[in-house]
Amino acid sequence: MLKPNFYKDSFLILALCITACTTAPASPTATLPPPIVTVIHPTETHTPTSTPQVTPTATALPHLMYPYTIAGLRERQFEGGVIEIGARIAFNDQFSSYLISYPSDGLRITGVLNLPAGEGSFPVIVMNHGFYPRSEYTSGDGSQRAAEYLAQRGYITISSDYRTWGTSDFGVSFFHTGLVADVMNLLASLDSIPQADVSRIGMWGHSMGGGITTKILTLNSPVRAAVLYAPNSADDADLIARWGYGCIGDIAAGELLETCNSADVLPESLPAQVIAAYKESAQSAERMREVAPFYHLDLVSVPVQIHIGSADGDYIGSTPPEWSYKLNQGLLDANKDVEMFVYQNQRHSFTGDAWTLFMDRAVAFFDENLK
């Protein structure tokens, strides 16, 4: 157990993505055949071959990285604050959309809120977007289409841009935990929205946002149900094997490289011992088990629904289906409530009827668990 002063000092120095990808252009719906979907049942689960499970062993992390482990995150208190509702950017008879901001670890984080018409109260779905190049990203990218679909069906939907995206403040992040902290602080701030029923909170995450969601499911959060859409691997070692560890230095320069993961934020101005501790942990299989939610699935206490395209993983920014098979099997082995749908011939971002089928399943899942 770390002393309070150590925590405070650690998080002043450090803060808390590994990537997924930018949404692929959608083909016209009319050119697509009806989607073929495989439902993975407990008796038909796939056994992964490329990312075998490893039994975790107790190991000591460099103390500077301890706050970014699952155990370290579980010891944190995420206090959040008041969600400031800014300009209305869209509206219709069913819902209105607003720009928002809220505090997280001393940073100002921006995002988008969609409020259904009426007095409320309404259940809430927190939307976690996937990786976007920061120079192209605007608030709501990667999640707003699904957020509007849910808002039309009576859910408040709210998304964080995360630190360093959109017009959010700059903040350090190791192993996506800065982004995790931003979402956890958003969860802690939801009671500042008068129409929100904070006893009924769900979470939706695509790609990198699916990985953030999985980490949050192993923490102490009010989330009652989660939908993972083509999620990052729950084993951070898989992410490092595919994308490398974080780019150290300028973010814009890092995003032009394929040799490092530009979702983590590691400025060269960090103390040398901090960067050394991060590199050491990123290259240690044993130490990465303390960071990865895959080895802490016993802590998951809510139902999970996973959706993956069979043709995903076909380019470097996408997520191989084996990652979802692995997570699904891990949750089943831990006796958790999980179901997985595999959409044949769909890639990282679903198109046409497959997307609608996926979202209808997600709505039914949230209705069952939140309404």
Side-chain angles (χ1 to χ4, degrees), residues 160-173:
S160 171
D161 293 332
Y162 319 133
R163 59 192 64 190
T164 75
W165 270 275
T167 55
S168 297
D169 288 345
F170 176 92
V172 178
S173 181

Side-chain angles (χ1 to χ4, degrees), residues 281-364:
S281 293
Q283 297 175 70
S284 169
E286 291 187 25
R287 289 168 179 167
M288 288 307 296
R289 293 182 194 123
E290 302 301 325
V291 171
F294 182 75
Y295 300 101
H296 304 268
L297 296 178
D298 59 304
L299 299 171
V300 175
S301 61
V302 303
V304 179
Q305 191 178 74
I306 305 171
H307 302 262
I308 186 73
S310 67
D312 203 349
D314 59 332
Y315 62 100
I316 190 61
S318 57
T319 57
E322 288 77 14
W323 288 356
S324 287
Y325 299 153
K326 176 177 176 177
L327 174 58
N328 181 67
Q329 187 63 56
L331 287 166
L332 289 171
D333 290 345
N335 297 313
K336 304 304 178 180
D337 184 355
V338 60
E339 60 181 344
M340 184 168 76
F341 301 93
V342 182
Y343 297 73
Q344 297 301 315
N345 302 316
Q346 290 294 314
R347 300 174 69 210
H348 191 55
S349 294
F350 300 171
T351 58
D353 292 342
W355 187 89
T356 303
L357 178 59
F358 148 56
M359 284 303 301
D360 285 343
R361 286 193 165 116
V363 169

Side-chain angles (χ1 to χ4, degrees), residues 18-54:
I18 271 170
T19 36
C21 65
T22 308
T23 304
S27 302
T29 301
T31 66
L32 294 172
I36 302 173
V37 180
T38 303
V39 184
I40 304 297
H41 297 291
T43 56
E44 303 170 359
T45 55
H46 291 64
T47 300
T49 56
S50 61
T51 52
Q53 299 183 32
V54 181

Side-chain angles (χ1 to χ4, degrees), residues 254-267:
E255 289 190 345
L256 300 177
L257 304 174
E258 292 186 357
T259 56
C260 61
N261 167 31
S262 57
D264 276 356
V265 182
L266 303 160

Side-chain angles (χ1 to χ4, degrees), residues 25-316:
S27 302
T29 301
T31 66
L32 294 172
I36 302 173
V37 180
T38 303
V39 184
I40 304 297
H41 297 291
T43 56
E44 303 170 359
T45 55
H46 291 64
T47 300
T49 56
S50 61
T51 52
Q53 299 183 32
V54 181
T55 302
T57 57
T59 183
L61 274 171
H63 72 280
L64 288 175
M65 288 295 106
Y66 178 79
Y68 313 106
T69 65
I70 299 300
L73 288 169
R74 286 177 62 83
E75 293 177 9
R76 281 201 59 183
Q77 295 294 321
F78 297 94
E79 298 180 355
V82 174
I83 296 172
E84 299 288 346
I85 300 178
R88 185 167 72 170
I89 56 175
F91 70 96
N92 54 41
D93 292 340
Q94 297 171 305
F95 66 92
S96 296
S97 302
Y98 301 87
L99 295 176
I100 62 159
S101 63
Y102 67 95
S104 175
D105 293 355
L107 306 175
R108 177 182 178 271
I109 305 299
T110 55
V112 176
L113 167 70
N114 300 283
L115 279 178
E119 296 297 323
S121 60
F122 303 103
V124 183
I125 309 295
V126 174
M127 315 291 294
N128 296 329
H129 71 77
F131 180 83
Y132 261 77
R134 292 167 178 84
S135 61
E136 301 174 10
Y137 177 85
T138 58
S139 293
D141 279 348
S143 62
Q144 184 62 10
R145 182 187 180 195
E148 293 179 357
Y149 200 86
L150 290 162
Q152 290 169 350
R153 288 152 180 82
Y155 289 94
I156 291 175
T157 53
I158 190 166
S159 62
S160 171
D161 293 332
Y162 319 133
R163 59 192 64 190
T164 75
W165 270 275
T167 55
S168 297
D169 288 345
F170 176 92
V172 178
S173 181
F174 299 106
F175 308 120
H176 295 161
T177 51
L179 318 186
V180 169
D182 294 338
V183 177
M184 289 293 287
N185 281 307
L186 178 59
L187 287 167
S189 305
L190 291 176
D191 60 1
S192 65
I193 301 175
Q195 300 94 325
D197 182 348
V198 294
S199 70
R200 296 185 292 160
I201 299 174
M203 189 166 283
W204 179 104
H206 180 221
S207 198
M208 177 182 79
I212 292 168
T213 301
T214 308
K215 287 204 176 191
I216 288 172
L217 294 182
T218 65
L219 308 183
N220 301 309
S221 86
V223 174
R224 288 178 46 184
V227 168
L228 306 178
Y229 169 30
N232 272 8
S233 177
D235 188 343
D236 287 60
D238 292 337
L239 308 180
I240 290 173
R242 186 168 176 86
W243 293 309
Y245 53 79
C247 305
I248 298 170
D250 180 72
I251 295 175
E255 289 190 345
L256 300 177
L257 304 174
E258 292 186 357
T259 56
C260 61
N261 167 31
S262 57
D264 276 356
V265 182
L266 303 160
E268 290 179 332
S269 59
L270 284 171
Q273 65 268 32
V274 172
I275 294 177
Y278 172 79
K279 287 183 176 180
E280 182 182 354
S281 293
Q283 297 175 70
S284 169
E286 291 187 25
R287 289 168 179 167
M288 288 307 296
R289 293 182 194 123
E290 302 301 325
V291 171
F294 182 75
Y295 300 101
H296 304 268
L297 296 178
D298 59 304
L299 299 171
V300 175
S301 61
V302 303
V304 179
Q305 191 178 74
I306 305 171
H307 302 262
I308 186 73
S310 67
D312 203 349
D314 59 332
Y315 62 100
I316 190 61

